């Protein structure tokens, strides 16, 4: 731990003359993050990957639906074959001929091929590659491949983001998106199609997390919760677009191409999305951070002149070798895992992400088991999700992140418990309970994403988010197999989701009570802030050592009083920014 702290101190130690410009730069960044066209543009550009992610995520419902099929008998060696009886949606057939027509104990034969009764030939990947009967297990693998890709992308692009920059990670992920999406539409072998689905998952995780982090690191602390929660509205937009595109393009190949071409919109953020100034500051690249801020303030000549004069006060910095920077990043990552406080936060966040993701994706894929037509069900999900992302906004203004998350998870768990108690013939009540659970778990998902981004410093923020996203994708990978278990027992998926949601309530209570804080840039700052009690570690697992039993509201009031003054009221007159 000591060597890790020394790395932070070496990087943070700058000449005394540089301290004032650095502080002025942070003040200017805070002023930009309060609102305006720059922040709105950042929000809109960064939301594009969310729409694309949603399109490919819900595409499974339309790509892999199973049409009714008939057993098709291939040419047989038996020359006496006179009649073949085709059984609808069956994996076997009965062979009849003139010699055994009176024998009713004929053993059924296994099907070699199938005829699919679908409105348009090649409308699903199921009919394209006969993913039924013995090969039925390969059908959910198309969704599993997307989850595996998100695991890979979360880890790889998370490390790239913290080591090489948020925008570099975004550019790399966008390139993969542009190639893998159309390529999947022209895949004529199922393993190749799965490979491109893995690539799409990796690109989606990398692009969305990088854009989200740039927005979170650029927003002013009181505005961050609103922007972070509304950032997720891009997902229901994609959910609403998917059924429309599936009706316009009924074949799975045209549909796959239709949901891939919007990736061309990524050219806009690739061209215009700035690097995170906070990340640049954490790397000691003050000139580049000033360049970003200066170009974001071109509408104010005086402000631009003031920032330009500040830039001239920085000394030329030595170039850091790639190997040296990589060693520093690896040291920080190791320090994140060695530090007991961060290790606890990381583990509890990961488990909460997994629980939220499992319930979220299981309910998304349960349309058939709930007796709903796919297009209508997806539109219903999207409508519920839009309302869900508006719910946390008033809650976050009143309570801490932890309390909001625990309330939403409790409500989702209660809806799942209700779902278990409703008789199977009450279909409307079952659908209402399922949608209520989906409503609250979507809101909880948006809160835990914001929460995690604030619990870790800039130098390891995307890596921490990447590991949490990895746990979330384990839940999404498990969801299609869990839905398939309805054939064994109709209530099994609900029981599993209920258990994990209840566990998530316990996990969330172990996280710090945080309401509105400024982001830390280094591990040393985060530890110092924790030791100064700016983040109250009052949790379900550890009570406060001070005398008396102060309630949660008092903890939140103390947290707010500890926020640095420059985060709540900045005097920018010396920069010409006011």
């Amino acid at each position: 731990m000591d060597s890790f702290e020394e790395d932070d101190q070496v990087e943070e130690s700058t000449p005394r003359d540089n301290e004032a410009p650095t502080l002025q730069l942070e003040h200017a960044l805070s002023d930009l993050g309060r609102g305006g066209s720059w922040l709105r543009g950042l929000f809109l550009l960064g939301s594009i990957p969310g729409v694309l992610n949603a399109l490919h995520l819900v595409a499974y419902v339309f790509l892999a639906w199973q049409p009714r099929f008939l057993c098709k008998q291939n040419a047989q060696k038996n020359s006496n074959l006179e009649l073949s009886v085709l059984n609808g949606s069956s994996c076997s057939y009965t062979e009849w001929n003139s010699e055994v027509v009176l024998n009713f104990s004929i053993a059924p034969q296994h099907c070699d091929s199938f005829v699919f009764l679908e409105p348009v030939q090649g409308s699903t990947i199921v009919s394209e590659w006969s993913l039924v009967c013995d090969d039925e297990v390969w059908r959910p693998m198309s969704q599993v491949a997307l989850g595996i890709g998100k695991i890979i992308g979360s880890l790889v692009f998370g490390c790239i983001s913290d080591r090489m920059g948020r925008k570099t990670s975004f550019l790399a992920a966008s390139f993969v998106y542009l190639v893998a999406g159309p390529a999947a539409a022209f895949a004529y072998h199922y393993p190749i199609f799965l490979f491109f689905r893995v690539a799409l998952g990796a690109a989606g995780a990398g692009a969305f997390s990088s854009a989200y982090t740039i927005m979170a690191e650029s927003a002013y602390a009181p505005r961050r919760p609103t922007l972070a929660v509304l950032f997720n509205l891009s997902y229901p937009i994609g959910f609403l677009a998917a059924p429309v595109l599936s009706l316009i393009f009924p074949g799975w190949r045209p549909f796959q191409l239709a949901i891939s071409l919007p990736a061309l919109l990524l050219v806009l953020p690739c061209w215009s999305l700035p690097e995170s100034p906070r990340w640049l500051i954490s790397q000691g690249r003050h000139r580049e951070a000033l360049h970003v801020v200066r170009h974001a303030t071109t509408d104010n000549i005086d402000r631009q002149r003031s920032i330009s004069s500040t830039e001239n006060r920085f000394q030329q910095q030595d170039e850091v070798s790639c190997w040296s920077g990589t060693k520093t990043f690896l040291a920080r990552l190791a320090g994140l895992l060695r530090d007991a406080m961060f290790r606890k936060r990381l583990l509890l966040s990961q488990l909460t992400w997994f629980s939220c993701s499992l319930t979220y994706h299981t309910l998304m894929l349960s349309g058939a088991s709930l007796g709903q037509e796919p297009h209508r069900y997806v539109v219903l999900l999207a409508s519920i999700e839009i309302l869900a992302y508006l719910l946390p906004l008033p809650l976050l203004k009143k309570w801490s992140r932890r309390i909001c998350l625990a309330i939403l998870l409790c409500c989702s768990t209660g809806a799942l418990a209700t779902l278990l108690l409703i008789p199977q013939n009450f279909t409307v009540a079952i659908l209402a309970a399922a949608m209520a659970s989906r409503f609250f778990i979507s809101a909880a998902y948006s809160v835990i994403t914001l929460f995690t981004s604030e619990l870790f410093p800039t130098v390891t923020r995307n890596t921490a988010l990447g590991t949490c996203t990895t746990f979330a994708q384990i839940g999404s990978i498990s969801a299609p197999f869990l839905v398939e278990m309805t054939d064994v027992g109709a209530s099994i998926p609900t029981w599993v989701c209920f258990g994990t949601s209840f566990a998530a309530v316990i996990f969330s209570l172990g996280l710090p009570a945080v309401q509105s804080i400024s982001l830390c840039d280094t591990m040393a700052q985060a530890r110092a802030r924790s030791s100064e009690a700016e983040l109250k570690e009052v949790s379900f697992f550890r009570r406060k050592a001070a005398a008396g039993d102060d309630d949660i509201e008092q903890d939140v009031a103390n947290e707010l009083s500890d926020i640095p003054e420059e985060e709540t009221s900045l005097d920018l007159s010396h920069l010409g920014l006011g």
Side-chain angles (χ1 to χ4, degrees), residues 15-16 39 46 80 105 135 154 193 199 205 229-230 254 322 336 342 382 429 444 463 502 508 535:
R16 178 85 50 184
L39 191 59
N80 295 323
S105 60
D135 293 330
S154 299
F193 175 76
V229 171
L230 294 180
C322 179
L336 179 68
F342 287 110
T463 301
F502 182 79
S508 65
L535 294 178

Side-chain angles (χ1 to χ4, degrees), residues 13-45:
S13 61
T14 54
R16 178 85 50 184
D17 294 338
N18 287 355
E19 292 179 0
T22 303
L23 184 60
Q24 291 173 351
L25 175 60
E26 292 179 347
H27 284 189
L29 178 59
S30 176
D31 184 58
L32 284 174
R34 292 173 185 268
S37 58
W38 182 77
L39 191 59
R40 286 195 299 270
L42 194 65
F43 179 88
L44 293 175
L45 290 173

